[in-house]
Amino acid sequence: MTFIIIKLHLNNLIMEEGKQLESFEAKIAAGHKIEPKDWMPEAYRKQLIRMMSQHAHSEIVGMLPEGNWITRAPSLRRKAILLAKVQDEAGHGLYLYSAVETLGVDRTELLHQLHTGKAKYSSIFNYPTLTWADIGAIGWLVDGAAIMNQTALARGSYGPYSRAMVRICKEESFHNRQGYEIMMTLAKGTSEQKQMAQDALNRWWWPSIMMLGPSDDQSPNSDQLMRWKVKMESNDAIRERFIDRTIPQAEFIGLTIPDKDMKFDEKTGHYSHGKINWDEFFDVIKGNGPCNAKRLKDRNDADKNGRWVRDAAIAYAEKQLKEKQAS
Amino acid sequence: MSNDSQWPVWEVFLQGNPGIPHKHVGNVHATDAEMAIQNARDVYTRRSEGISIWVVPANAISASSPEDQGAFFEPSNDKPYRHPTFYKIPEGVKYL
Ligand SMILES: [Fe+2]
Ligand SMILES: [Fe+2]
């Protein structure tokens, strides 16, 4: 008897869950956003936490290679711009961490995962910024590639993530333009300056097109993630759009894309690129890029060195509260 | 001393221009209201998006629940007479 009741109960639960899934998917198909308190499948929640936290980590780790040049920016104008750009990236990290927190994870936990090397962040930030031109290349190419990805994600189904993306995209176009302006200025300068710009493009081009993720045959986009609008477009589709837009920009300032096999395909109307060194990409992801160890150390140092400030702020707030209660 | 907390969450509301309502824009972590306002300024108004900021402790907000959305808001659906378009006014009648 109890057995039957339990079984009936289970059946009800399964039916209930099926109905919830149905209305969840209908909502997404109709273009509505899913909000934090709405019912969502566990797989949806997990995938979003993974993606959004990696995205948040990428924003704040991305501050490190650029921060490297703030004190050495070639003019006060450039310094003010770079400071504002890096501050924006901190802001992006904050928007994103706060969006992940709506899924019931704590920021402390996410940062812990980053600092212990358990969480991933974008492969691109494990490359060094050797010259001032690298700051130009990052804004132009890395922020440019990120914009392609983020405008797609802004159409995603999870409300807080999509709203954060909309906000971020608005701020990114300044990042993109200031980078291009740096490259343009160098390309119009002395032959050494032009060479410096070309050298930066040579080093950042491949990592930039790789940062958009493995090619579609290596990363089959699950239909489910597409249907749930967690993933909006395939990596290769986003990469193609980025390349199509960037090549004319390079040509305009007289720089050469370091890909001998790159050519415009009249039939498709797109550029086709040479072979991408995916071994390098996966190696960097695994932790063997030129700067992985340094980035992790710098993040950990920042966390450790800022600890007393956080403790002091808490102590101060507690003291204020006590005084207020006593009076 | 304390465990390394990321501080309580405050929801942030911005007034974009004089005369319009404050609108929710996101949240910040902060130890107290004063710090929450400063952080909100840095995080949400870097491009003069606002002229006034409200911060509210996140745990002080009560919200209607999505499951009850239907039952909660539907009663107004069958009251079309609350809208001016419900009433037919003959042509020629002005200012109504
Ligand atoms: Fe960013
Ligand atoms: Fe950016």
Side-chain angles (χ1 to χ4, degrees):
Chain A
M1 188 60 193
T2 16
F3 174 72
I4 294 171
I5 291 172
I6 288 172
K7 207 174 159 204
L8 269 175
H9 184 64
L10 258 177
N11 279 344
N12 277 343
L13 272 182
I14 290 165
M15 265 176 56
E16 183 68 12
E17 170 117 5
K19 256 191 252 156
Q20 280 172 320
L21 183 63
E22 213 174 282
S23 80
F24 167 83
E25 293 198 335
K27 225 191 264 176
I28 292 175
H32 296 163
K33 302 288 179 199
I34 303 300
E35 295 300 334
K37 287 167 127 193
D38 294 345
W39 183 89
M40 60 187 82
E42 205 37 41
Y44 177 83
R45 208 179 71 91
K46 275 212 184 111
Q47 178 65 19
L48 277 172
I49 292 175
R50 209 176 62 94
M51 271 178 67
M52 291 162 69
S53 58
Q54 284 181 6
H55 197 158
H57 298 330
S58 303
E59 299 285 353
I60 63 165
V61 176
M63 297 166 73
L64 299 169
E66 289 184 293
N68 180 34
W69 277 91
I70 290 176
T71 56
R72 292 171 293 160
S75 70
L76 195 54
R77 175 178 182 271
R78 295 285 182 207
K79 186 183 286 208
I81 291 170
L82 185 56
L83 262 173
K85 199 242 181 212
V86 173
Q87 192 193 12
D88 270 357
E89 305 301 2
H92 298 176
L94 288 172
Y95 306 154
L96 284 160
Y97 283 121
S98 107
V100 203
E101 283 190 313
T102 63
L103 291 164
V105 265
D106 196 72
R107 197 168 77 182
T108 316
E109 169 57 23
L110 296 173
L111 287 171
H112 180 74
Q113 289 171 2
L114 172 65
H115 295 152
T116 50
K118 255 190 265 162
K120 302 254 177 280
Y121 55 85
S122 178
S123 56
I124 194 81
F125 300 120
N126 292 311
Y127 291 87
T129 39
L130 303 177
T131 70
W132 169 250
D134 290 19
I135 299 307
I138 290 182
W140 175 35
L141 303 172
V142 177
D143 289 82
I147 290 172
M148 294 296 125
N149 192 30
Q150 289 168 338
T151 36
L153 290 170
R155 289 179 281 118
S157 63
Y158 188 54
Y161 193 26
S162 135
R163 290 189 286 273
M165 284 300 106
V166 170
R167 226 192 140 76
I168 286 177
C169 285
K170 269 191 212 154
E171 303 185 349
E172 287 292 355
S173 60
F174 133 60
H175 300 179
N176 196 213
R177 282 183 172 209
Q178 63 86 35
Y180 189 66
E181 194 198 66
I182 291 174
M183 293 301 260
M184 190 163 59
T185 308
L186 289 170
K188 280 196 299 209
T190 63
S191 66
E192 282 101 331
Q193 285 170 327
K194 184 167 183 183
Q195 184 45 44
M196 191 197 268
Q198 182 62 52
D199 167 65
L201 172 56
N202 293 348
R203 282 180 292 107
W204 288 91
W205 175 254
W206 291 101
S208 298
I209 64 171
M210 285 194 258
M211 74 176 258
L212 291 166
S215 62
D216 296 349
D217 52 348
Q218 292 171 83
S219 89
N221 288 297
S222 93
D223 294 344
Q224 195 184 53
L225 291 183
M226 287 282 205
R227 193 171 68 242
W228 286 352
K229 295 188 185 162
V230 169
K231 182 125 188 140
M232 299 303 291
E233 262 181 293
S234 84
N235 296 345
D236 284 342
I238 296 176
R239 186 161 22 244
E240 182 172 77
R241 190 169 337 118
F242 171 65
I243 292 174
D244 284 349
R245 291 184 183 191
T246 307
I247 290 185
Q249 296 169 354
E251 283 168 355
F252 189 86
I253 54 176
L255 296 181
T256 314
I257 301 288
D259 179 354
K260 287 188 288 312
D261 300 318
M262 178 76 72
K263 51 179 177 290
F264 188 72
D265 185 338
E266 294 285 351
K267 255 185 283 160
T268 60
H270 298 291
Y271 286 90
S272 65
H273 56 77
K275 214 166 155 313
I276 295 175
N277 182 358
W278 289 115
D279 291 343
E280 174 183 325
F281 174 76
F282 289 113
D283 206 37
V284 173
I285 291 274
K286 250 188 269 157
N288 303 323
C291 299
N292 293 60
K294 173 152 177 47
R295 301 293 181 242
L296 209 59
K297 181 180 181 301
D298 287 351
R299 267 308 318 161
N300 272 288
D301 287 350
D303 190 60
K304 231 184 293 151
N305 297 337
R307 172 82 194 247
W308 72 270
V309 180
R310 297 194 293 278
D311 287 344
I314 282 276
Y316 177 74
E318 278 164 3
K319 191 179 139 204
Q320 293 293 101
L321 192 68
K322 247 182 240 152
E323 275 170 19
K324 212 171 162 191
Q325 282 162 348
S327 69
Chain B
M1 192 177 47
S2 61
N3 63 339
D4 193 10
S5 102
Q6 293 283 320
W7 307 333
V9 175
W10 301 70
E11 296 300 334
V12 179
F13 299 81
L14 273 189
Q15 185 182 32
N17 283 300
I20 61 171
H22 285 68
K23 200 173 140 196
H24 183 243
V25 289
N27 61 39
V28 292
H29 289 248
T31 53
D32 57 23
E34 193 189 339
M35 188 199 270
I37 289 176
Q38 277 168 1
N39 289 354
R41 195 256 334 252
D42 292 344
V43 178
Y44 294 104
T45 66
R46 286 196 302 282
R47 289 171 178 79
S48 9
E49 290 94 334
I51 54 155
S52 161
I53 298 174
W54 288 351
V55 293
V56 181
N59 60 17
I61 294 180
S62 309
S64 63
S65 75
E67 300 94 73
D68 304 339
Q69 192 185 340
F72 198 65
F73 294 106
E74 252 151 38
S76 70
N77 288 351
D78 60 0
K79 296 175 184 64
Y81 45 83
R82 284 176 171 165
H83 299 277
T85 46
F86 181 77
Y87 303 91
K88 280 199 191 73
I89 302 296
E91 240 170 87
V93 179
K94 284 180 174 173
Y95 309 121
L96 205 66

